[in-house]
Amino acid sequence: SLYWSIYRPHVIVRHIYSLFLFVFFFLMIRRPPRSTLSSSSAASDVYKRQLMNYTKVPYTLSVRTMDLGGSLEWTMHSFPRGLNSHVLGMAWTSKYGYVGFTPGTLQALNTRIPLDGLNLGLFSARDVVSDGLNEAGLSCGFLTLTEAKFEKLNPLKPNHNLFSYSVCKWALEQFETVEQVADALAGVQVWWGSKLHFALVDADQNMLVVEYLDGERQLRFDSNDDTHGFGIMTNEPAYDWQIRNVQHLEWKRTLARSAVSIPGNFYPDERFLRVHLMKQAIERTAQPVGYREAVAKAVAIVNTVTVPMGDIPGTDSGSGSGEGSGDHTQWGVIRQHDRSNATYLLRSQTNPSWRRIELGQLDLDQGSPIKSMQIEDDPWYLDVTNNFR
């Protein structure tokens, strides 16, 4: 009987083990405040995100890197349309196919534990989409914000309680524009203390920053006009502080005999300023004239915030930081937000070659299977030995 199948001993053991992995996984990726000085082995999640403002070519490109210690590894998936999603009581059916990163394995207790197949019924590891791009050109990424405090769970409306780690999955599966996402967020309660904020970009070059501070939702539409918004997002402090910090930098540049140094560390505020200065210089003096050049300049921005493997100076890494050891760039992506040709370029920590995924070439029709790709696979170089003529 169904009752017996649920309560057979080996089934009970499997459910207990899965529950342990579920709890341990979220304890590992929920980052402690930076003021906590300990030898914690918690994963260190640091993200950089920016939208290029190209005026001479019709390309909407954005880039991002994911920085983390070695505890968590990621898997890339293609998700078709028509999926029925059930995440901790909230349910919906996907309208758009997309590609996205989800947790693959977790290093714990001297063992690498597989997470990709973890499914507790009410929740699975594939419900945690850290970054992705759907076929309508909408991207979503979650980024660490240690001061984040989400809304409270509403037990009377379980289908309106959106798990914070699943915000990007929910957005990528249902929406085409950032305005649609903003409107829909007004009807849900985003909960769980995950210390995150979110950046979304659509095919119309609109950028939305979503933060939860003191239990209140804050939405910011980044105009990317180089005055009130800069198309950039990193981590703490919160978005409004980062904007004021750039505006203060720009004020310094208006002064007589001004000289402004380029910040060189990998802390969030310095990355924000460095990307701004580099991005601004490209947009003002070196607008690309073709697609290849547009991508090359986006790669240059990615390179300025890519952290090598190891305990690198100028990062919030190391045994005394509360961030764990070895905070570095695990992967980087470039997104082309094009409704007719949405494209995702990616590279990883030991495979620096850029690999392209054209969503229009994937089988994203309803009923198609979810497919997976290991991001460290594929040739990591292009052999040109025989190209001499």
Side-chain angles (χ1 to χ4, degrees), residues 172-189:
L172 292 169
E173 291 185 351
Q174 297 190 94
F175 306 110
E176 180 175 343
T177 68
V178 297
E179 287 86 357
Q180 292 172 351
V181 175
D183 291 342
L185 283 171
V188 299
Q189 297 287 110

Side-chain angles (χ1 to χ4, degrees), residues 70-82:
S71 59
L72 189 62
E73 293 183 348
W74 302 86
T75 300
M76 170 68 69
H77 301 284
S78 64
F79 296 94
R81 303 175 217 108

